[in-house]
Amino acid sequence: MMEQFAQVALPVPLAKTFDYRITEHVPVVGARVKVPFGRQHKVGIVTAITTTPSVAAHQVKAITEVLDDVPLWTPAVYRLLQWASRFYHHPLGDAMGAVMPTLLRKGRPAALKQQKWWQLTEAGQNQPVTGLTRAPKQARVLTLLTHGPTPHADLVEQDITPAVINALVDKGWIAPYTPPLEGKSWARHFAISEDKPSLNHEQAMAVATINASDGFACVLLEGITGSGKTEVYLNVLEPVLARGEQALILVPEIGLTPQTIRRFERRFNVPVTVMHSGLNDTERLSAWLAARDNQAAIVIGTRSALFTPMANLGIIIIDEEHDPSYKQQDSFRYHARDLAVMRGHEEKIPVVLGSATPSLETLHNAQTGKYQYLRLTQRPGNAVTARQGVLDIKGHHLEAGLSAPLIAEMRQHLQQGNQVMLFLNRRGYAPAMMCHECGWLASCQRCDAYYTLHQQHQELRCHHCGHQKRVPPQCGDCGSTQLISVGVGTEQLEAQLGELFPDYNTVRIDRDNTRRKGSLESYLAGIEKGEYQILLGTQMLAKGHHFPNVTLVALVDVDGALFSNDFRAPERLAQLMVQVAGRAGRASKPGTVILQTHHPEHSLIQALIHKGYQAFADSALAERRQAWLPPYTFLSLFRAEGHEDNSVQQFLQQVRQTLAASPIQHDEVHIMGPMPAPMARRAGRYRWQLLIQAPSRKVMQQWLTVALPVIQQLPLSRKVRWSLDVEPQDL
Ligand code: ADP
Ligand code: ZN
Ligand code: ZN
């Protein structure tokens, strides 16, 4: 028989597979194998079996161990990964390694760990317990086991040590027991809670439309916060779960609240598995296995949960589909929302994209009929929408960023016993520290950026490279000791609020003080209980939480987003504004939203305040069309960085030439750059970028596919750090 070799995709940043000799049985395609790689071993995925290795057969090393009898992923997820690897031009093995639970990448068996059980043997059953007075613990075990097989953990809980158990095993009185698999038992317990609202007309229409789809369909469900989107999801899930099929629900990174999870559990009485970054490796693996083996009916997770294999998937729901956290920003740079649509296609099931403020890409797809477009325009229970207003702060005296009219308004709401919420997207005490005598600004040595002052820790911290140091006693230039802070961050605002409103408690929610595990949850619980009256935070606070007693929301400073380099900044600001407006107030307590700006006349603000998100989106889309920006064109971004400014720029120049020499000519493809990145130096590295703009995904892919192998051969490509971001979210 001809000798056989396995092609293996390994978690390394090289766009190729590696051949290994098959010694024992032939692994199936999609199974994990452990193989020697350099001086170590790595776990990879078999992508093909061949009789002709790519290098001389005697040089090919042997597989160390075949780890799986069956493919690791379902066929649909396996195809999805291959598609994503091609589309994002990321090496398949590296992509696979990135999305598999860490323990699987380390070679742990891909099977739910069977709990160990013990039972009495026949000899044990006939053993009179009274004969064991000198070994009371052994006697206890025998007594316990007379009630039937018992999990090992239960014995441990009764202070039974392994020595006691081993003694009984040696005597032949007890033996291991294999419990029958519970299997798909959730389908037997499935029930729909009677305690559920009857749908309004729009909700009923949405549910009917989604459930009528046979096979793949993509649906945009647009509805303001509180309009009952989650209620629609729940109703859409009814027939899916009743058929015994599973549901996958993606939520933004910070949007995964215990309330949401409980809502799904209660409604259907089925197991809900949660996957988020807070899980440890063991928890993550068991969640993954529960999903794959159909022990979980519903999987709720953040971005990477998209790749969870599911035995019998019936629907995918992406909540808050516009949220930027769906885009992976390093290494394997995929967009989970876009890939979810692809997965729905592969699985032949519906995909629901829900949002109060759909991304312009998704809106465009809905408006052009590529997606079905469903809207919820009413809030159940006649809740009124928030009143919105702009506060022109030109020339106003500001106290830690707050104008006098805003402070007055806050006081009024607080005196009525309501809560007030303030947004400021800058953590720390102040975004810069300056010398009052000569104007010197403390800036990071390694970045083109100023240090942020963190007063509480008496530290200067660079928010770009993480560098930190003690606050210097003197100016770095003239030696003056008159150092002052410039601008306002959340830490300073918090201190000021304490002085302005000594009778009320303020809670601050940002990345700095929610680092400790459980701290965010405890703050949120405190808000719910009314322990805090003033809520202050970065946009972390805007996501996923309902605050029914908040009647005033203020965006303290929106000017930065109006004049940003990033063409998506206005869209993000509009989304934030609508999101927070939706979180304020309820039927009996209508909310007010206030924006502080120096530019009240700005067209974005005008459109949003007077006409709403839809009008804003229409005008923003018109601008994008004019400017040849997504969704009307498709972008890819080469980023490069290195210690030598010149070679970084030169590398991208060569990339440009390679692209331009492409045999696929297309007048509508534009290459822009190389140009310095928005932060031209970070952590001591010089950074440049090159932007490609193509009229279609197809043309973009043709260009990249032809050029990349050449680019990878450029000598400079090994000297500078570079990456390709297909359809980048941040420019
Ligand atoms: P969203 O997900 O759009 O924010 P939810 O589904 O959470 O909205 O609904 C907001 C609130 O309104 C929830 O308390 C929910 O139970 C309630 N609700 C939703 N639909 C209805 C309905 N048809 N009748 C009564 N209450 C409803
Ligand atoms: Zn820095
Ligand atoms: Zn100075």
Side-chain angles (χ1 to χ4, degrees):
M1 207 185 91
M2 289 266 265
E3 200 176 8
Q4 291 190 307
F5 302 87
Q7 291 177 357
V8 180
L10 290 171
V12 293
L14 296 170
K16 58 182 239 175
T17 55
F18 300 82
D19 293 342
Y20 289 91
R21 185 185 307 279
I22 293 167
T23 50
E24 316 159 46
H25 61 287
V26 181
V28 297
V29 167
R32 286 174 308 150
V33 289
K34 191 184 224 177
V35 296
F37 188 80
R39 290 173 178 198
Q40 324 154 294
H41 272 86
K42 282 195 185 293
V43 170
I45 299 287
V46 175
T47 56
I49 305 293
T50 173
T51 50
T52 50
S54 56
V55 293
H58 69 274
Q59 288 180 6
V60 179
K61 291 185 195 156
I63 291 175
T64 309
E65 191 185 351
V66 176
L67 295 170
D68 301 313
D69 299 330
V70 292
L72 190 64
W73 290 285
T74 54
V77 175
Y78 186 74
R79 287 196 302 273
L80 179 73
L81 282 164
Q82 286 184 312
W83 186 89
S85 160
R86 284 195 301 274
F87 182 79
Y88 292 107
H89 297 273
H90 194 85
L92 180 63
D94 206 56
M96 288 175 157
V99 305
M100 111 181 33
T102 310
L103 290 178
L104 292 180
R105 203 167 57 240
K106 289 184 176 163
R108 189 70 73 84
L112 284 172
K113 203 163 157 193
Q114 280 293 338
Q115 246 219 73
K116 223 187 320 175
W117 288 55
W118 297 102
Q119 61 181 340
L120 291 177
T121 60
E122 228 180 275
Q125 277 164 6
N126 298 326
Q127 183 60 38
V129 174
T130 43
L132 280 169
T133 41
R134 308 258 308 271
K137 291 227 164 160
Q138 291 188 19
R140 266 253 293 298
V141 175
L142 291 189
T143 313
L144 283 167
L145 292 192
T146 52
H147 302 298
T150 306
H152 182 76
D154 289 8
L155 298 180
V156 172
E157 225 166 71
Q158 305 259 339
D159 289 331
I160 307 295
T161 60
V164 174
I165 292 171
N166 287 339
L168 287 166
V169 173
D170 288 346
K171 288 179 179 166
W173 293 347
I174 70 169
Y177 168 80
T178 315
L181 256 182
E182 249 191 274
K184 302 178 179 178
S185 56
W186 67 261
R188 286 204 304 269
H189 304 295
F190 168 74
I192 300 163
S193 159
E194 314 233 315
D195 175 26
K196 62 169 217 169
S198 52
L199 300 180
N200 67 29
H201 181 66
E202 286 178 329
Q203 286 175 314
M205 284 291 290
V207 172
T209 310
I210 297 166
N211 285 340
S213 55
D214 181 21
F216 171 70
C218 191
V219 179
L220 165 60
L221 179 65
E222 180 184 315
I224 52 167
T225 310
S227 63
K229 291 185 297 298
T230 309
E231 196 52 47
V232 169
Y233 304 156
L234 286 162
N235 279 270
V236 162
L237 252 47
E238 284 183 14
V240 174
L241 296 170
R243 288 196 299 269
E245 293 173 2
Q246 299 164 284
L248 174 61
I249 301 170
L250 295 192
V251 293
E253 231 149 55
I254 321 170
L256 194 54
T257 60
Q259 291 112 296
T260 315
I261 299 161
R262 252 180 277 132
R263 229 168 131 185
F264 283 89
E265 280 171 345
R266 284 216 194 107
R267 179 66 59 93
F268 300 118
N269 190 38
V270 294
V272 175
T273 286
V274 180
M275 297 180 107
H276 56 81
S277 54
L279 300 186
N280 67 31
D281 289 350
T282 314
E283 291 167 334
R284 175 164 295 269
L285 177 59
S286 24
W288 191 94
L289 291 169
R292 187 196 62 177
D293 297 347
N294 204 2
Q295 307 233 345
I298 302 173
V299 175
I300 306 184
T302 48
R303 183 175 63 222
S304 67
L306 193 254
F307 298 101
T308 314
M310 296 178 71
N312 197 10
L313 185 59
I315 194 164
I316 303 176
I317 293 168
I318 320 282
D319 195 28
E320 312 283 3
E321 67 82 32
H322 64 278
D323 195 275
S325 75
Y326 286 125
K327 177 77 197 297
Q328 167 83 28
Q329 298 287 21
D330 54 22
S331 187
F332 177 28
R333 296 175 164 79
Y334 63 90
H335 202 304
R337 179 235 296 143
D338 296 350
L339 285 186
V341 176
M342 197 61 201
R343 179 163 180 182
H345 193 265
E346 288 289 343
E347 306 253 13
K348 302 189 177 61
I349 56 170
V351 179
V352 180
L353 309 179
S355 177
T357 51
S359 64
L360 296 185
E361 280 84 353
T362 297
L363 259 185
H364 180 66
N365 282 328
Q367 287 169 351
T368 54
K370 206 171 148 197
Y371 297 169
Q372 294 183 61
Y373 194 177
L374 301 170
R375 296 172 72 179
L376 306 179
T377 56
Q378 295 139 20
R379 275 189 179 183
N382 300 321
V384 282
T385 40
R387 187 169 64 83
Q388 306 196 35
V390 187
L391 229 156
D392 185 354
I393 52 172
K394 271 197 299 292
H396 270 275
H397 169 72
L398 300 178
E399 287 189 67
L402 304 178
S403 63
L406 177 55
I407 294 170
E409 180 98 20
M410 285 175 68
R411 184 152 284 135
Q412 210 182 334
H413 283 260
L414 290 169
Q415 279 166 357
Q416 283 163 4
N418 296 320
Q419 288 171 321
V420 167
M421 184 155 78
L422 301 177
F423 281 96
L424 180 60
N425 233 352
R426 233 177 289 128
R427 59 200 171 83
Y429 186 85
M433 198 181 72
M434 187 168 74
C435 170
H436 197 42
E437 303 223 0
C438 76
W440 169 84
L441 282 154
S443 56
C444 178
Q445 306 279 304
R446 311 161 70 213
C447 305
D448 279 350
Y450 300 124
Y451 278 116
T452 298
L453 173 62
H454 287 251
Q455 187 105 295
Q456 199 186 336
H457 296 96
Q458 276 299 300
E459 264 176 0
L460 294 180
R461 292 185 193 161
C462 174
H463 285 187
H464 305 282
C465 71
H467 186 254
Q468 30 187 291
K469 61 179 192 183
R470 303 293 300 167
V471 171
Q474 290 176 315
C475 168
D477 245 14
C478 74
S480 157
T481 52
Q482 288 215 37
L483 298 179
I484 56 172
S485 62
V486 186
V488 179
T490 48
E491 198 189 312
Q492 185 177 162
L493 185 47
E494 183 186 25
Q496 186 66 33
L497 287 166
E499 283 180 24
L500 283 169
F501 301 100
D503 299 337
Y504 300 98
N505 293 327
T506 298
V507 60
R508 167 161 68 97
I509 293 188
D510 59 25
R511 210 140 40 88
D512 289 322
N513 71 340
T514 53
R515 234 165 241 152
R516 223 172 0 97
K517 207 175 169 176
S519 55
L520 177 62
E521 289 71 22
S522 85
Y523 289 140
L524 292 174
I527 295 171
E528 209 175 327
K529 278 188 239 142
E531 286 165 18
Y532 306 103
Q533 295 77 46
I534 305 176
L535 290 43
L536 157 66
T538 55
Q539 60 188 5
M540 245 182 122
L541 190 53
K543 294 191 182 170
H545 319 294
H546 268 288
F547 300 113
N549 290 316
V550 169
T551 52
L552 175 66
V553 179
L555 305 185
V556 175
D557 180 6
V558 301
D559 291 346
L562 297 177
F563 303 97
S564 165
N565 284 326
D566 188 341
F567 72 86
R568 282 195 178 85
E571 179 185 347
R572 301 253 162 86
L573 174 63
Q575 288 162 347
L576 176 69
M577 278 165 56
V578 176
Q579 297 283 335
V580 299
R583 308 229 177 266
R586 57 178 167 184
S588 54
K589 289 184 175 181
T592 301
V593 179
I594 291 181
L595 314 179
Q596 288 197 139
T597 176
H598 290 85
H599 302 273
E601 75 298 335
H602 195 285
S603 60
L604 156 61
I605 289 185
Q606 288 299 319
L608 257 181
I609 296 286
H610 298 299
K611 302 199 195 109
Y613 186 79
Q614 194 67 47
F616 155 77
D618 287 344
S619 76
L621 277 169
E623 271 178 33
R624 297 262 188 104
R625 183 200 289 275
Q626 278 238 305
W628 270 63
L629 286 167
Y632 301 97
T633 57
F634 295 84
L635 304 180
S636 287
L637 188 69
F638 281 91
R639 295 190 182 91
E641 58 177 45
H643 290 288
E644 249 181 58
D645 201 15
N646 250 334
S647 43
V648 178
Q649 189 187 359
Q650 211 185 341
F651 167 68
L652 287 183
Q653 195 60 48
Q654 291 170 2
V655 171
R656 185 188 171 111
Q657 281 154 7
T658 310
L659 287 162
S662 171
I664 312 153
Q665 277 309 323
H666 207 291
D667 348 330
E668 286 173 297
V669 178
H670 297 281
I671 311 176
M672 284 156 275
M675 55 202 159
M679 178 160 298
R681 199 169 57 101
R682 182 154 117 188
R685 289 198 174 79
Y686 296 91
R687 309 163 80 228
W688 289 76
Q689 55 192 35
L690 184 76
L691 187 66
I692 314 165
Q693 188 182 49
S696 70
R697 279 187 167 141
K698 190 163 163 236
V699 171
M700 177 66 81
Q701 289 298 330
Q702 284 175 340
W703 268 54
L704 294 174
T705 306
V706 170
L708 275 167
V710 184
I711 292 168
Q712 276 148 2
Q713 294 307 315
L714 295 171
L716 275 176
S717 77
R718 272 177 285 272
K719 285 187 130 169
V720 305
R721 246 198 229 180
W722 66 279
S723 64
L724 169 63
D725 196 349
V726 177
E727 301 186 5
Q729 284 292 305
D730 291 291
L731 293 186

